[in-house]
Amino acid sequence: MNLRRLSCLLAISVCLALPACERDATQAPPVAGVPEDETADQFVARVNDEMRAMYREMTASQWISSTYINQDSQLLAAKGNERWLTALNGWIEQARRFEGQEMSPETARAIRLLKLNTAMPAPRDPERLAELTTIATRMEGMYGAGAYCVEGDPDNCRQLGQLEEVLRTSRDYDEQLDAWQGWHSIAQPMRDDYARFVELVNEGAREMGYADAGEMWRSGYDMSPVEIAAEADRLWGQVKPLYEQLHCYARNRLEARYPDQGSVDGLLPAHLMGNMWQQDWSNLWDILEPYPNAGSLDVTGALEAQYQAVLDNRAAATGTLPTVAERVEIERQAQHDMAVRMTRRAEEFYTSLGMPELPDPFWANSQFTKPRDRDVVCHASAWPMDMDEDVRIKMCIEPNEENFTTIYHELGHIYYFLAYKDQPPLFQAGAHDGFHEAIGDVIVLSMTPEYLASIGLVEEQAQGQAALINSQMRMALSKVAFLPFGLMIDRWRWGVFDGSITPENYNQAWWELKARYQGVAPAEPRGEEFFDPGAKYHVPGNTPYTRYFLSHVLQFQFYKALCSASGYDGPLHECNFHGSEAAGERFWTMLSRGAGQTWQETMREISGGEQMDASAVLEYFAPLQSWLEAQNEGLACGWPGGS
Ligand code: X8Z
Ligand code: ZN
């Protein structure tokens, strides 16, 4: 079972290619406390048992430290992680005895997966291992508790959620700049920790036989590390022309909205994209909506109205005029009710496909809203706590569209956990990590205007070209805008791990990659006194990111396959397979395989092919792409430094 980062999800990467580290089996010494005549099959069975036995203690300490950030919970989380990584290093060491021996393919696969079980390879040296888990816990805590305070006024602070709200709703240039810069200031103190963290995980990775931690991350894809990097480039090449058109359109509109300030030398200003990391541009709908009179897609407005009704009902039920304290409590309960209602709605999509209802522990143990009395890591995540039915999400749900679709995303992880829970622990993971990220998003693609109307979140939609382009744009602002971001984060980390990016140029390299892939730039220079990568959760949280890029390609492939399974054969972008048990069965079969076979085999079962391929993305967005090309005609698209 992979405990690499419970805080995003639990997933093992898969590697079938022999890693560069294979050692001569005859060199492996006998290991103390391990039966010398143990066969490889017996070894794998024992590791699975021992993992299962240790697992619950580990997840408990991680859950507490993410939902109750303080020194004590961090100490326990660091210790829990230390125990786990020590055990993992022990199992990996013991596995060396079997290198070069005959064994069943299944056993060989389990042993390969063991080495890839964590994204945080730890040094064997106990002191340095403990140092690593302490730093990792501290960085995640700093992110979760991060707050931007008015200078000289420590009681006047805003956390990520409030700063994101500014980017989402304000169109004031300076207000947005302040919120963006404010959030990025929380990462400055992480810089030294991060540099040390890199040294330590590299040491761990080298001891396992990898060149560095980045090579280890790239070894989890049933192909060589070199091949998966080339695959990602190939997929990016397929979708890049579409992104360039969207970029061109957005820049043109921004330049009109903010005269003289809407671009920075042809690049998009980082603080004006409606999102802290420019990974999703949906919040710029007011600026980018193609046809304002072609029917409303204001899901956030509908959710806010529903919340208001829940709140009014709760307030009315008290009968008397509430005190201030009672009012705060009523609001808290209404937020919780609304969050549960949104989650029930997402669950309904999955059950309509024939999947089971979410188990009771999910409802009892999940964190749906931000607690008032303590710091938590609000970044959404899904947790398999006990390899059984104690599955949870951890979110700080607000009634808006972004959170609504994130719930569908998280439930994708949850249903994956439930579907593969009867696999041995070493196979309890996605076919590869991009598969895990894609599941819920396949459902999100099915959230067509027709579906949204059926659940009362938008009005019955007008038909026709304008409505089609609006609905395509809505999806593109989240799915297409994301693609280069999905790629650049690990381009930066791979460079950091392999030493081509050093602490002296962390920030410079970050902004070079942002410019090259996303065509985004900061409005004002960001020197090395900043550590802007640390302002994105997955960097201090050490969650690999290529998975999301791959997911944004895979989800269109899976969507297409499930649409076919449901019997649909119209234009891809109109397909909504809600209610199709045939699609559900195909989906569930894929999920239940876990990591027990190569992802190529699983891909063949669901789609008939064995390759990742972005042609379904292009098919889906074909109407929008033509429309964008027409809109952008005569404009000089592209940006300096783009490649
Ligand atoms: O981190 C997530 C999920 C949890 S696995 C909320 N996502 C990435 C992000 O927020 O940066 C989903 C899309 C990309
Ligand atoms: Zn996810």
Side-chain angles (χ1 to χ4, degrees), residues 7-9 277 279 379-382 406 409-410 413 437 441 482 485 536-538 543 545 547-548 552:
S7 41
C8 222
L9 81 140
W277 310 277
Q279 67 186 70
H379 188 84
S381 52
T406 299
H409 173 94
E410 295 306 330
H413 292 309
E437 295 304 335
D441 284 18
F482 181 81
F485 182 75
K536 175 66 192 164
Y537 168 74
H538 302 69
T543 307
Y545 213 85
R547 59 181 62 179
Y548 300 106
H552 277 68

Side-chain angles (χ1 to χ4, degrees), residues 74-96:
Q74 294 205 359
L75 179 92
L76 296 176
K79 285 281 162 206
N81 212 357
E82 188 182 322
R83 275 162 62 82
W84 176 266
L85 291 175
T86 303
L88 183 63
N89 277 350
W91 293 319
I92 291 169
E93 179 63 19
Q94 293 164 24
R96 292 180 58 204

Side-chain angles (χ1 to χ4, degrees), residues 381-393:
S381 52
W383 298 58
M385 296 296 291
D386 64 353
M387 304 189 193
D388 195 6
E389 298 219 316
D390 187 352
V391 288
R392 308 178 185 176
I393 58 170

Side-chain angles (χ1 to χ4, degrees), residues 374-423:
R374 59 186 192 263
D375 283 322
V376 300
V377 180
C378 273
H379 188 84
S381 52
W383 298 58
M385 296 296 291
D386 64 353
M387 304 189 193
D388 195 6
E389 298 219 316
D390 187 352
V391 288
R392 308 178 185 176
I393 58 170
K394 177 181 64 57
M395 288 186 69
C396 299
I397 299 175
E398 305 261 356
N400 61 47
E401 178 173 13
E402 199 176 323
N403 278 209
F404 190 50
T405 53
T406 299
I407 297 171
Y408 286 70
H409 173 94
E410 295 306 330
L411 292 197
H413 292 309
I414 296 287
Y415 277 101
Y416 220 153
F417 300 149
L418 292 172
Y420 61 51
K421 73 182 172 52
D422 296 325
Q423 291 273 0

